[in-house]
């Protein structure tokens, strides 16, 4: 029996959430803000300033934020505390479960942003949010699987 089999689903979810806190979230916020600003500029030049341009820019910012923060978390972060080292080892060993956290947060955030800032329909917003969440989860999971497993 493996250690994973001994843990309940609730404990595994708690570890995935704790692992997500290991990400470089300040750097992720900076990258997201920069990318969102560029997206806003490009959207404004291409189609003029409006609700759609703002929603697109915020969506790009959120995507970059969750990609950078989630990838850092899936790789195990850089904290030195003993408890954090155990969480870091778990995160590296379970990168797909860690990736699910930013993926779900991205999907939910994107739907909310599109509903609040644009006139996009609900089902269209949900579809956009889901595919963006899948992209974030896929990239974060792959980075954690192939990038995080090489560190000790």
């Amino acid at each position: 029996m493996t250690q994973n089999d001994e843990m309940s689903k609730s404990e595994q979810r708690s570890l995935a959430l704790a692992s997500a806190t290991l990400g470089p979230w300040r750097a992720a916020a900076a990258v997201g803000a920069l990318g969102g600003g560029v997206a806003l500029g490009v959207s404004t030049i291409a189609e003029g300033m409006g609700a759609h341009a703002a929603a697109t820019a915020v969506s790009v910012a959120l995507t970059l934020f969750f990609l950078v923060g989630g990838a850092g978390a899936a790789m195990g972060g850089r904290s030195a505390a003993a408890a954090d080292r155990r969480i870091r080892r778990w995160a590296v060993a379970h990168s797909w479960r860690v990736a699910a956290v930013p993926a779900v947060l991205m999907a939910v955030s994107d739907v909310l942003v599109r509903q609040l800032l644009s006139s996009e329909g609900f089902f269209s917003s949900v579809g956009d949010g889901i595919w963006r969440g899948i992209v974030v989860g896929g990239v974060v999971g792959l980075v954690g699987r192939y990038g995080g497993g090489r560190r000790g």
Side-chain angles (χ1 to χ4, degrees):
M1 182 178 269
T2 65
Q3 180 183 9
N4 196 32
D5 293 335
E6 297 171 8
M7 278 192 245
S8 71
K9 296 283 186 190
S10 174
E11 290 170 324
Q12 291 177 21
R13 278 190 299 271
S14 294
L15 281 170
L17 287 170
S19 298
T21 65
L22 298 175
W25 295 108
R26 286 186 183 158
V31 170
L34 181 63
V38 170
L40 181 63
V42 170
S43 288
T44 301
I45 291 170
E47 58 193 52
M49 186 60 188
H52 179 69
T56 299
V58 173
S59 183
V60 167
L62 286 169
T63 302
L64 292 172
F65 173 74
F66 286 118
L67 279 172
V68 172
M75 289 180 65
R78 298 216 184 263
S79 183
D84 288 347
R85 280 195 299 267
R86 284 181 275 157
I87 294 171
R88 185 175 70 213
R89 283 192 306 268
W90 189 90
V92 169
H94 300 91
S95 59
W96 292 105
R97 290 190 179 152
V98 175
V101 174
V104 168
L105 292 173
M106 175 64 216
V108 170
S109 299
D110 195 60
V111 170
L112 290 174
V113 163
R114 291 181 177 284
Q115 285 298 291
L116 294 174
L117 296 181
S118 75
S119 60
E120 190 172 338
F122 178 74
F123 293 110
S124 179
S125 296
V126 169
D128 286 344
I130 288 173
W131 82 259
R132 283 180 175 84
I134 289 171
V135 168
V136 167
V139 170
V140 169
L142 289 172
V143 166
R145 171 75 171 97
Y146 296 107
R150 307 245 187 301
R151 294 192 330 169

